[in-house]
Amino acid sequence: MSSLDLAVIGNSSVSAMIDRQARIVFASLPRLDSDPVFCSLLRGGAGADATQQDGTFSVELRDFASSEQSYIDNTAVLHSVLTDDDGGAVEIVDFAPRYDEHNRIHRPPMLVRRITPVAGRPMIRVVVRPMGDYGKSSLRAVRGSHHIVFMGDRNRHRLTTNIPISYVMEERYFRIDQQCWILWAPDEPIEADLEDLCRRYFETTTAHWRLWVRGLSIPFEWQEAVIRAAITLKLCMFEETGAIVAALTTSIPEAPNTVRNWDYRYCWLRDAVFVIRALNRLGVTRTMEQYIGFITDVIDLAEEGVIQPVYGISREDDLTESIAEGLAGYRGMGPVRVGNAAYEQVQNDVYGSLVLAAVHLFFDYRLLRKPANEELYDQLEFLGQRAIQYFDKPDAGPWELRGSASVHTFSAMMCWAACDRLKRIARVMGRTDRTEFWSDKAEHLKLEIERRTWSESRNSFVSTFDGNELDASLLLMAQIGFVQANDARYIATVERIGQELKRGDFIYRYVVKDDFGEPETAFLICTFWYIDALASIGRTLEARALFDRMMTYRNRFGLFSEDVDPKTGELWGNFPQAYSMVGLINSAMNLSLSWEEAS
């Protein structure tokens, strides 16, 4: 049965999901948002066998008995050892090449698999069944001398290997007695010796990741968890443009047998604030700068000031949603969606999200990209004017409700944040007139938001203007700076959320019915927000204990998806979820002892 106990490899251009038998079960190529050429994760029912399906890329060990898997330390390179009933074993190393050369980062749209016999006389077969058009058709295989070309209507892929091509074409078992290599790449001739090329890719990729990790600013505690989260966040980046996707998959349901299935292979502006904060704390300035570049390009090119909540990874503004009829879905729980209709929604928090993301260009002297000038400031002021205009207007809110609209506290608060940060930027630029203007506007919005969202009867802030319900985004009020953490109203709100939204170890987004009924699983980032809120109001021991328990819900590779079932601990939702990994990073940074305290 399919599960999210998966490892992820990638290079910030492509990615692939690998299961416990070292089968590639999902891979979008040649971009993070492409038609998944390997899609068996989304093809079967609960009893489906991935080795018997189209859409898989497996190295199958005859009489398979067990496996051991782990990442090579401080890399995105996966190491698997498969053992058979007789004690024979093969080692499989999987990675996507990523390396430095000629002062540039190279990230070709390739996957490399190294297969080595390590015990006994194992027999393997290689099963490669790529698909096209989101599972509607199998790609046609045409053999060459040392390669196979797989052809579809839109893409051509080439598998090059030193394994006998006939064995691969016929999916025939053979005795492996020497190291073998498989290179999956676009259909272009490989001029170099395959073994030399793949070995060089392995060495340079391993060296690159280890050097990258050495540059991270990590906390003293939970180091391995933070390193893995940081690498995974990097894999969620489409480095060519700087976009960071919400997740690397589409349509893993938020809960069993629901239709809460969404395509998350796009870039949400709301996430920018939290992702940039995590990258900044890690000291990953280059990645942060590239992401800010993507954000400012959105600002520069927005037509008539219209800002969408989500864009494609090369800033596509049309993400029309459709159903992939050729895929049954994860465990048969369709539909499988391509695109995301949220791009058409009104989400008024986008104005604050963009200003908060761009503010780093005016204050962070480490950044080489410096468009922090009057022209950019004028564009940000336009966003501020939109924030003033729309802070008290209904929208879909941070949870992207499809069937209702309200004036959401979070959206209003982010509009206030736009005004507040513009005040600070104006001050540093010496614009006294604009400093006073934005200070007045921020104060006006703050008073109105407080008046409309503080409930005396509930002794709490509430999630909508003049409303009565709570949602987890209220936990962010202190983090964004709308209130101080020692504000009695904020403390009361955190405590009320703990009483009403907590189920077991987890905080729900909300517990009222939405467009699809009552939520069944917990959105993981919300629990990290709660942990940070607990720490900020002085309940640090409680926060640390909860954080430690949260670490036990990661899969065996240290990864989170979007959601978790509080009753079973099973992961649900798209995978790996950048937001969840960001939550882990920020909470670890907040809670860890300092290096000085620990030494």
Side-chain angles (χ1 to χ4, degrees):
M1 181 171 67
S2 297
S3 81
L4 296 182
D5 198 17
L6 304 172
V8 178
I9 61 171
N11 62 3
S12 299
S13 178
V14 298
S15 67
M17 316 289 158
I18 300 175
D19 73 4
R20 66 182 297 268
Q21 291 183 233
R23 300 178 296 215
I24 295 177
V25 296
F26 190 87
S28 294
L29 298 161
R31 300 194 338 172
L32 297 180
D33 60 349
S34 296
D35 182 355
V37 64
F38 300 114
C39 53
S40 60
L41 184 67
L42 298 179
R43 280 187 58 77
D49 181 355
T51 64
Q52 301 304 315
Q53 291 189 41
D54 289 343
T56 193
F57 182 179
S58 62
V59 178
E60 185 178 335
L61 178 65
R62 186 174 181 179
D63 299 323
F64 168 80
S66 63
S67 67
E68 294 183 5
Q69 293 175 292
S70 62
Y71 285 106
I72 295 177
D73 286 348
N74 294 353
T75 75
V77 180
L78 181 67
H79 174 268
S80 305
V81 176
L82 309 184
T83 303
D84 63 27
D85 289 334
D86 295 323
V90 294
E91 173 199 69
I92 303 171
V93 170
D94 287 294
F95 65 96
R98 180 180 172 87
Y99 56 93
D100 303 86
E101 190 172 86
H102 306 306
N103 295 317
R104 289 190 299 147
I105 303 295
H106 293 260
R107 44 186 187 276
M110 298 176 175
L111 303 176
V112 178
R113 316 200 75 175
R114 187 186 77 189
I115 312 163
T116 308
V118 294
R121 303 182 68 232
M123 294 193 73
I124 66 169
R125 68 170 182 165
V126 176
V127 178
V128 187
R129 300 179 186 175
M131 304 201 74
D133 198 15
Y134 284 89
K136 280 189 176 180
S137 60
S138 298
L139 301 189
R140 184 165 63 93
V142 178
R143 67 170 296 160
S145 55
H146 295 90
H147 68 271
I148 305 169
V149 175
F150 292 92
M151 295 186 292
D153 293 337
R154 297 181 178 85
N155 290 310
R156 292 165 60 100
H157 306 270
R158 178 181 293 230
L159 182 150
T160 306
T161 183
N162 57 355
I163 297 170
I165 292 298
S166 293
Y167 290 168
V168 180
M169 293 284 290
E170 298 167 13
E171 298 181 359
R172 191 173 301 282
Y173 281 104
F174 65 94
R175 187 82 61 192
I176 180 171
D177 55 11
Q178 62 180 353
Q179 191 172 84
C180 300
W181 294 90
I182 304 174
L183 175 64
W184 180 274
D187 181 25
E188 299 171 0
I190 304 297
E191 303 293 345
D193 177 83
L194 177 67
E195 295 180 46
D196 289 345
L197 177 65
C198 290
R199 190 173 293 110
R200 179 168 62 87
Y201 279 158
F202 172 74
E203 293 170 353
T204 55
T205 298
T206 303
H208 169 86
W209 282 114
R210 286 176 169 164
L211 183 62
W212 187 82
V213 168
R214 285 184 65 186
L216 296 178
S217 299
I218 60 174
F220 177 79
E221 298 178 275
W222 305 292
Q223 292 185 39
E224 291 182 3
V226 170
I227 289 170
R228 184 53 49 199
I231 291 174
T232 306
L233 186 57
K234 185 66 176 177
L235 297 186
C236 290
M237 183 178 206
F238 186 62
E239 200 168 47
E240 181 181 325
T241 65
I244 294 178
V245 298
L248 295 172
T249 58
T250 177
S251 303
I252 308 297
E254 293 181 13
N257 300 306
T258 72
V259 293
R260 298 176 190 264
N261 300 8
W262 317 115
D263 191 350
Y264 275 6
R265 299 171 300 163
Y266 309 113
C267 186
W268 268 259
L269 299 185
R270 179 184 307 107
D271 300 1
V273 178
F274 307 99
V275 172
I276 287 173
R277 181 177 181 226
L279 294 173
N280 193 14
R281 300 181 79 176
L282 289 168
V284 188
T285 54
R286 182 172 180 174
T287 302
M288 183 176 74
E289 188 171 28
Q290 290 168 320
Y291 191 32
I292 293 174
F294 180 89
I295 298 301
T296 54
D297 284 347
V298 168
I299 297 170
D300 289 342
L301 298 173
E303 295 184 7
E304 300 180 356
V306 176
I307 304 293
Q308 298 176 186
V310 57
Y311 289 85
I313 60 176
S314 53
R315 290 201 324 278
E316 299 94 332
D317 55 13
D318 186 349
L319 302 179
T320 300
E321 194 172 285
S322 62
I323 304 299
E325 302 291 350
L327 296 172
Y330 179 76
R331 299 186 188 173
M333 299 174 188
V336 172
R337 303 181 197 267
V338 181
N340 199 301
Y343 85 98
E344 298 181 295
Q345 289 185 345
V346 173
Q347 296 181 27
N348 293 326
D349 63 288
V350 295
Y351 309 113
S353 297
L354 288 172
V355 174
L356 264 65
V359 74
H360 290 265
L361 294 170
F362 294 86
F363 290 94
D364 195 332
Y365 290 0
R366 298 170 299 172
L367 303 183
L368 296 177
R369 182 186 175 102
K370 288 288 186 181
N373 51 31
E374 295 287 343
E375 182 180 356
L376 176 61
Y377 178 73
D378 289 342
Q379 289 172 307
L380 295 182
E381 282 214 322
F382 180 77
L383 296 177
Q385 295 289 356
R386 302 276 291 197
I388 295 168
Q389 182 179 358
Y390 291 107
F391 87 98
D392 58 353
K393 302 299 188 293
D395 72 350
W399 312 119
E400 302 185 338
L401 301 175
R402 295 194 172 200
S404 61
S406 301
V407 183
H408 289 92
T409 302
F410 177 80
S411 298
M413 181 172 62
M414 291 297 285
C415 288
W416 165 85
C419 300
D420 178 73
R421 274 34 169 211
L422 282 166
K423 170 192 70 179
R424 302 184 195 190
I425 296 170
R427 182 184 298 129
V428 80
M429 294 183 70
R431 296 283 301 273
T432 304
D433 57 331
R434 304 313 294 168
T435 302
E436 294 177 356
F437 175 85
W438 289 112
S439 180
D440 290 344
K441 294 301 182 184
E443 182 63 19
H444 168 71
L445 264 63
K446 183 179 176 64
L447 292 174
E448 183 65 8
I449 295 167
E450 288 178 331
R451 184 179 71 84
R452 301 286 298 276
T453 64
W454 172 254
S455 170
E456 291 289 349
S457 63
R458 299 282 274 141
N459 192 34
S460 172
F461 286 103
V462 291
S463 59
T464 59
F465 275 28
D466 306 317
N468 194 51
E469 304 296 339
L470 307 180
D471 81 282
S473 69
L474 298 170
L475 295 166
L476 297 170
M477 300 183 88
Q479 186 180 130
I480 292 170
F482 185 78
V483 296
Q484 297 299 309
N486 61 1
D487 187 317
R489 297 170 302 171
Y490 178 67
I491 294 171
T493 301
V494 174
E495 292 174 346
R496 180 70 69 180
I497 285 174
Q499 294 166 4
E500 298 190 11
L501 302 188
K502 196 166 184 283
R503 302 290 185 272
D505 286 334
F506 302 99
I507 297 293
Y508 273 58
R509 287 174 285 188
Y510 44 82
V511 293
V512 296
K513 288 185 178 181
D514 60 15
D515 311 334
F516 305 100
E518 293 182 6
E520 299 176 39
T521 54
F523 197 52
L524 280 160
I525 186 65
C526 298
T527 305
F528 289 115
W529 292 345
Y530 183 64
I531 289 168
D532 294 340
L534 288 177
S536 72
I537 65 174
R539 293 163 60 179
T540 305
L541 291 179
E542 184 180 347
R544 287 175 61 88
L546 181 54
F547 184 78
D548 280 332
R549 294 198 299 275
M550 285 292 290
M551 293 299 93
T552 68
Y553 292 100
R554 295 174 298 156
N555 76 5
R556 62 200 173 102
F557 300 103
L559 307 180
F560 278 126
S561 63
E562 178 189 34
D563 303 272
V564 65
D565 185 331
K567 296 178 182 177
T568 66
E570 184 174 8
L571 297 176
W572 288 88
N574 281 306
F575 176 88
Q577 180 79 0
Y579 228 1
S580 301
M581 308 314 288
V582 164
L584 186 160
I585 292 167
N586 284 331
S587 292
M589 293 286 197
N590 289 338
L591 295 173
S592 175
L593 296 174
S594 69
W595 290 82
E596 292 77 11
E597 290 173 320
S599 58

